[in-house]
Structure formats: structure tokens, C-alpha cells
Amino acid sequence: MPAWFEVTVIVAFAIGAVFFFAKYRETAAALHESERMKMRLSNDLNRYKDVSRLRALRDALLGTRPLPTDDEGNEHLLLRDGDLQLHHLILRRESNRVNDEDESTYTKNGEQIRLEEFE
């Protein structure tokens, strides 16, 4: 086989390999971008899947119909979370004027916790 033919075949295979690896990298990059977008959209959907439950909570708290009230004046609300587990919320509606000098707190598990929104 003549030397010029061998060189031509080698050059042709080298050019083909360059095009093959370029196409491979382009396809790999497209697949990576597709996976990234799928994860991002999935996370967005997970973030907003509780909107209907949040609307139900808003309507229960701000609606015209009162929530069931016990003898101590606490209101009771049953609400399902994203995993469809049922939670019993006990609410006590009370409002106090907030001054800049006063410390605003809420009660969680029997202890007073300072509101971080005012810091």
C-alpha cells in the first residue's frame, strides 16, 4: 500500500474522530442541561405543590365562618401537609400593639421565643 494512501486514511480517521468527540461532547452537554432543568423544574413544582393547602389555611383563618372553638377560647383547625399527614393546629386569636421598645414574642412548646422579623 502506498504511503500517501496510509497518510490519507489516518488523516481521514483523525478528522472523523474530532467530529465524533465534538458531537459526543455536545450531546453530553445537552443531556446534562436537560437533567439540570428537570431537577430545577421538579424543585419548583415541589415548592408550590402546597399552594392549595395554604389557600385552605388562609380561607379558614380569614374566612367569614368561624373555626370550632373550645371552652378556653382556642380555635381548632385540621390541616394536611405535603406528605398528607394530618396536623391539629390550636390557634388563639389575640392582638397586641407592637412598639419599637417592646420585645415581640410568641409561644412555642410552652416557652417564649422572640420574633426574628423585628431584629
mmCIF file of all heavy atoms in Angstrom, residues 4-27:
data_model
loop_
_atom_site.group_PDB
_atom_site.id
_atom_site.type_symbol
_atom_site.label_atom_id
_atom_site.label_comp_id
_atom_site.label_asym_id
_atom_site.label_seq_id
_atom_site.Cartn_x
_atom_site.Cartn_y
_atom_site.Cartn_z
ATOM 1 N N TRP A 4 1.228 7.522 0.708
ATOM 2 C CA TRP A 4 0.266 8.630 0.658
ATOM 3 C C TRP A 4 -1.140 8.159 1.010
ATOM 4 O O TRP A 4 -1.930 8.891 1.597
ATOM 5 C CB TRP A 4 0.301 9.307 -0.711
ATOM 6 C CG TRP A 4 -0.107 8.402 -1.855
ATOM 7 C CD1 TRP A 4 0.711 7.638 -2.615
ATOM 8 C CD2 TRP A 4 -1.434 8.183 -2.316
ATOM 9 N NE1 TRP A 4 -0.005 6.936 -3.532
ATOM 10 C CE2 TRP A 4 -1.337 7.263 -3.374
ATOM 11 C CE3 TRP A 4 -2.686 8.656 -1.965
ATOM 12 C CZ2 TRP A 4 -2.453 6.795 -4.074
ATOM 13 C CZ3 TRP A 4 -3.790 8.202 -2.663
ATOM 14 C CH2 TRP A 4 -3.672 7.281 -3.708
ATOM 15 N N PHE A 5 -1.494 6.876 0.661
ATOM 16 C CA PHE A 5 -2.820 6.332 0.973
ATOM 17 C C PHE A 5 -2.979 6.127 2.487
ATOM 18 O O PHE A 5 -4.020 6.436 3.065
ATOM 19 C CB PHE A 5 -3.037 5.025 0.203
ATOM 20 C CG PHE A 5 -4.421 4.459 0.373
ATOM 21 C CD1 PHE A 5 -5.517 5.073 -0.210
ATOM 22 C CD2 PHE A 5 -4.627 3.325 1.141
ATOM 23 C CE1 PHE A 5 -6.784 4.558 -0.043
ATOM 24 C CE2 PHE A 5 -5.895 2.815 1.309
ATOM 25 C CZ PHE A 5 -6.986 3.425 0.716
ATOM 26 N N GLU A 6 -1.910 5.598 3.097
ATOM 27 C CA GLU A 6 -1.949 5.392 4.555
ATOM 28 C C GLU A 6 -2.107 6.722 5.284
ATOM 29 O O GLU A 6 -2.884 6.834 6.226
ATOM 30 C CB GLU A 6 -0.674 4.681 5.017
ATOM 31 C CG GLU A 6 -0.589 3.252 4.610
ATOM 32 C CD GLU A 6 0.688 2.600 5.096
ATOM 33 O OE1 GLU A 6 1.404 3.211 5.917
ATOM 34 O OE2 GLU A 6 0.966 1.490 4.650
ATOM 35 N N VAL A 7 -1.377 7.745 4.827
ATOM 36 C CA VAL A 7 -1.480 9.072 5.445
ATOM 37 C C VAL A 7 -2.883 9.629 5.249
ATOM 38 O O VAL A 7 -3.477 10.207 6.175
ATOM 39 C CB VAL A 7 -0.407 10.018 4.869
ATOM 40 C CG1 VAL A 7 -0.628 11.444 5.325
ATOM 41 C CG2 VAL A 7 0.985 9.543 5.228
ATOM 42 N N THR A 8 -3.458 9.445 4.071
ATOM 43 C CA THR A 8 -4.813 9.937 3.792
ATOM 44 C C THR A 8 -5.824 9.248 4.690
ATOM 45 O O THR A 8 -6.739 9.898 5.250
ATOM 46 C CB THR A 8 -5.179 9.710 2.305
ATOM 47 O OG1 THR A 8 -4.186 10.323 1.479
ATOM 48 C CG2 THR A 8 -6.536 10.285 1.985
ATOM 49 N N VAL A 9 -5.703 7.937 4.858
ATOM 50 C CA VAL A 9 -6.632 7.185 5.728
ATOM 51 C C VAL A 9 -6.483 7.638 7.175
ATOM 52 O O VAL A 9 -7.480 7.847 7.884
ATOM 53 C CB VAL A 9 -6.397 5.664 5.577
ATOM 54 C CG1 VAL A 9 -7.147 4.889 6.646
ATOM 55 C CG2 VAL A 9 -6.795 5.189 4.193
ATOM 56 N N ILE A 10 -5.272 7.818 7.644
ATOM 57 C CA ILE A 10 -5.035 8.256 9.027
ATOM 58 C C ILE A 10 -5.606 9.654 9.250
ATOM 59 O O ILE A 10 -6.262 9.925 10.260
ATOM 60 C CB ILE A 10 -3.528 8.186 9.356
ATOM 61 C CG1 ILE A 10 -3.073 6.740 9.432
ATOM 62 C CG2 ILE A 10 -3.238 8.916 10.666
ATOM 63 C CD1 ILE A 10 -1.586 6.557 9.556
ATOM 64 N N VAL A 11 -5.389 10.567 8.309
ATOM 65 C CA VAL A 11 -5.922 11.925 8.416
ATOM 66 C C VAL A 11 -7.453 11.889 8.403
ATOM 67 O O VAL A 11 -8.114 12.591 9.181
ATOM 68 C CB VAL A 11 -5.361 12.827 7.287
ATOM 69 C CG1 VAL A 11 -6.102 14.151 7.226
ATOM 70 C CG2 VAL A 11 -3.885 13.060 7.493
ATOM 71 N N ALA A 12 -8.040 11.050 7.549
ATOM 72 C CA ALA A 12 -9.498 10.940 7.494
ATOM 73 C C ALA A 12 -10.055 10.414 8.828
ATOM 74 O O ALA A 12 -11.065 10.928 9.339
ATOM 75 C CB ALA A 12 -9.917 10.042 6.338
ATOM 76 N N PHE A 13 -9.399 9.382 9.391
ATOM 77 C CA PHE A 13 -9.849 8.870 10.685
ATOM 78 C C PHE A 13 -9.665 9.901 11.795
ATOM 79 O O PHE A 13 -10.501 10.017 12.694
ATOM 80 C CB PHE A 13 -9.110 7.570 11.040
ATOM 81 C CG PHE A 13 -9.735 6.353 10.429
ATOM 82 C CD1 PHE A 13 -9.031 5.596 9.504
ATOM 83 C CD2 PHE A 13 -11.023 5.961 10.774
ATOM 84 C CE1 PHE A 13 -9.601 4.474 8.932
ATOM 85 C CE2 PHE A 13 -11.597 4.834 10.214
ATOM 86 C CZ PHE A 13 -10.883 4.089 9.286
ATOM 87 N N ALA A 14 -8.606 10.690 11.753
ATOM 88 C CA ALA A 14 -8.368 11.729 12.758
ATOM 89 C C ALA A 14 -9.443 12.809 12.672
ATOM 90 O O ALA A 14 -9.984 13.251 13.701
ATOM 91 C CB ALA A 14 -6.982 12.341 12.575
ATOM 92 N N ILE A 15 -9.785 13.221 11.448
ATOM 93 C CA ILE A 15 -10.845 14.233 11.280
ATOM 94 C C ILE A 15 -12.182 13.659 11.743
ATOM 95 O O ILE A 15 -12.964 14.324 12.423
ATOM 96 C CB ILE A 15 -10.894 14.712 9.813
ATOM 97 C CG1 ILE A 15 -9.635 15.511 9.485
ATOM 98 C CG2 ILE A 15 -12.151 15.538 9.554
ATOM 99 C CD1 ILE A 15 -9.493 15.858 8.013
ATOM 100 N N GLY A 16 -12.449 12.419 11.417
ATOM 101 C CA GLY A 16 -13.685 11.756 11.866
ATOM 102 C C GLY A 16 -13.748 11.656 13.383
ATOM 103 O O GLY A 16 -14.811 11.854 13.994
ATOM 104 N N ALA A 17 -12.602 11.340 14.013
ATOM 105 C CA ALA A 17 -12.571 11.239 15.475
ATOM 106 C C ALA A 17 -12.836 12.595 16.116
ATOM 107 O O ALA A 17 -13.557 12.687 17.125
ATOM 108 C CB ALA A 17 -11.228 10.687 15.924
ATOM 109 N N VAL A 18 -12.276 13.655 15.541
ATOM 110 C CA VAL A 18 -12.510 15.001 16.073
ATOM 111 C C VAL A 18 -13.993 15.351 15.995
ATOM 112 O O VAL A 18 -14.590 15.835 16.967
ATOM 113 C CB VAL A 18 -11.647 16.040 15.324
ATOM 114 C CG1 VAL A 18 -12.109 17.451 15.641
ATOM 115 C CG2 VAL A 18 -10.186 15.855 15.660
ATOM 116 N N PHE A 19 -14.627 15.064 14.853
ATOM 117 C CA PHE A 19 -16.062 15.345 14.718
ATOM 118 C C PHE A 19 -16.895 14.471 15.656
ATOM 119 O O PHE A 19 -17.874 14.921 16.244
ATOM 120 C CB PHE A 19 -16.515 15.154 13.262
ATOM 121 C CG PHE A 19 -16.174 16.316 12.387
ATOM 122 C CD1 PHE A 19 -15.266 16.184 11.351
ATOM 123 C CD2 PHE A 19 -16.759 17.558 12.600
ATOM 124 C CE1 PHE A 19 -14.951 17.250 10.538
ATOM 125 C CE2 PHE A 19 -16.452 18.640 11.794
ATOM 126 C CZ PHE A 19 -15.542 18.489 10.760
ATOM 127 N N PHE A 20 -16.496 13.187 15.804
ATOM 128 C CA PHE A 20 -17.226 12.286 16.703
ATOM 129 C C PHE A 20 -17.169 12.786 18.143
ATOM 130 O O PHE A 20 -18.195 12.852 18.838
ATOM 131 C CB PHE A 20 -16.644 10.872 16.608
ATOM 132 C CG PHE A 20 -17.196 9.942 17.643
ATOM 133 C CD1 PHE A 20 -18.464 9.394 17.489
ATOM 134 C CD2 PHE A 20 -16.469 9.634 18.784
ATOM 135 C CE1 PHE A 20 -18.976 8.541 18.454
ATOM 136 C CE2 PHE A 20 -16.979 8.784 19.751
ATOM 137 C CZ PHE A 20 -18.238 8.242 19.581
ATOM 138 N N PHE A 21 -15.971 13.142 18.625
ATOM 139 C CA PHE A 21 -15.853 13.609 20.012
ATOM 140 C C PHE A 21 -16.519 14.962 20.216
ATOM 141 O O PHE A 21 -17.072 15.234 21.286
ATOM 142 C CB PHE A 21 -14.383 13.647 20.443
ATOM 143 C CG PHE A 21 -13.829 12.282 20.698
ATOM 144 C CD1 PHE A 21 -12.777 11.802 19.942
ATOM 145 C CD2 PHE A 21 -14.374 11.470 21.681
ATOM 146 C CE1 PHE A 21 -12.270 10.534 20.173
ATOM 147 C CE2 PHE A 21 -13.871 10.200 21.910
ATOM 148 C CZ PHE A 21 -12.819 9.724 21.144
ATOM 149 N N ALA A 22 -16.517 15.810 19.198
ATOM 150 C CA ALA A 22 -17.224 17.089 19.315
ATOM 151 C C ALA A 22 -18.727 16.848 19.440
ATOM 152 O O ALA A 22 -19.404 17.463 20.281
ATOM 153 C CB ALA A 22 -16.927 17.964 18.111
ATOM 154 N N LYS A 23 -19.262 15.948 18.626
ATOM 155 C CA LYS A 23 -20.691 15.627 18.700
ATOM 156 C C LYS A 23 -21.009 14.949 20.032
ATOM 157 O O LYS A 23 -22.054 15.208 20.636
ATOM 158 C CB LYS A 23 -21.074 14.725 17.521
ATOM 159 C CG LYS A 23 -22.537 14.508 17.377
ATOM 160 C CD LYS A 23 -23.220 15.814 17.037
ATOM 161 C CE LYS A 23 -24.683 15.581 16.740
ATOM 162 N NZ LYS A 23 -25.404 16.812 16.570
ATOM 163 N N TYR A 24 -20.109 14.084 20.516
ATOM 164 C CA TYR A 24 -20.304 13.413 21.793
ATOM 165 C C TYR A 24 -20.360 14.432 22.934
ATOM 166 O O TYR A 24 -21.237 14.367 23.791
ATOM 167 C CB TYR A 24 -19.164 12.413 22.028
ATOM 168 C CG TYR A 24 -19.197 11.785 23.392
ATOM 169 C CD1 TYR A 24 -20.072 10.745 23.682
ATOM 170 C CD2 TYR A 24 -18.362 12.248 24.404
ATOM 171 C CE1 TYR A 24 -20.108 10.178 24.940
ATOM 172 C CE2 TYR A 24 -18.388 11.692 25.663
ATOM 173 C CZ TYR A 24 -19.264 10.652 25.930
ATOM 174 O OH TYR A 24 -19.300 10.099 27.175
ATOM 175 N N ARG A 25 -19.429 15.389 22.935
ATOM 176 C CA ARG A 25 -19.431 16.419 23.986
ATOM 177 C C ARG A 25 -20.682 17.281 23.905
ATOM 178 O O ARG A 25 -21.257 17.660 24.920
ATOM 179 C CB ARG A 25 -18.186 17.297 23.868
ATOM 180 C CG ARG A 25 -16.942 16.582 24.338
ATOM 181 C CD ARG A 25 -15.785 17.510 24.464
ATOM 182 N NE ARG A 25 -16.124 18.573 25.408
ATOM 183 C CZ ARG A 25 -15.362 19.628 25.614
ATOM 184 N NH1 ARG A 25 -14.265 19.782 24.943
ATOM 185 N NH2 ARG A 25 -15.725 20.544 26.479
ATOM 186 N N GLU A 26 -21.133 17.612 22.699
ATOM 187 C CA GLU A 26 -22.352 18.405 22.534
ATOM 188 C C GLU A 26 -23.565 17.650 23.073
ATOM 189 O O GLU A 26 -24.403 18.215 23.779
ATOM 190 C CB GLU A 26 -22.541 18.719 21.050
ATOM 191 C CG GLU A 26 -23.769 19.541 20.742
ATOM 192 C CD GLU A 26 -23.941 19.738 19.245
ATOM 193 O OE1 GLU A 26 -22.936 19.770 18.509
ATOM 194 O OE2 GLU A 26 -25.100 19.860 18.822
ATOM 195 N N THR A 27 -23.645 16.358 22.769
ATOM 196 C CA THR A 27 -24.761 15.541 23.258
ATOM 197 C C THR A 27 -24.699 15.397 24.774
ATOM 198 O O THR A 27 -25.731 15.491 25.457
ATOM 199 C CB THR A 27 -24.735 14.155 22.592
ATOM 200 O OG1 THR A 27 -24.751 14.324 21.181
ATOM 201 C CG2 THR A 27 -25.922 13.323 23.015
#
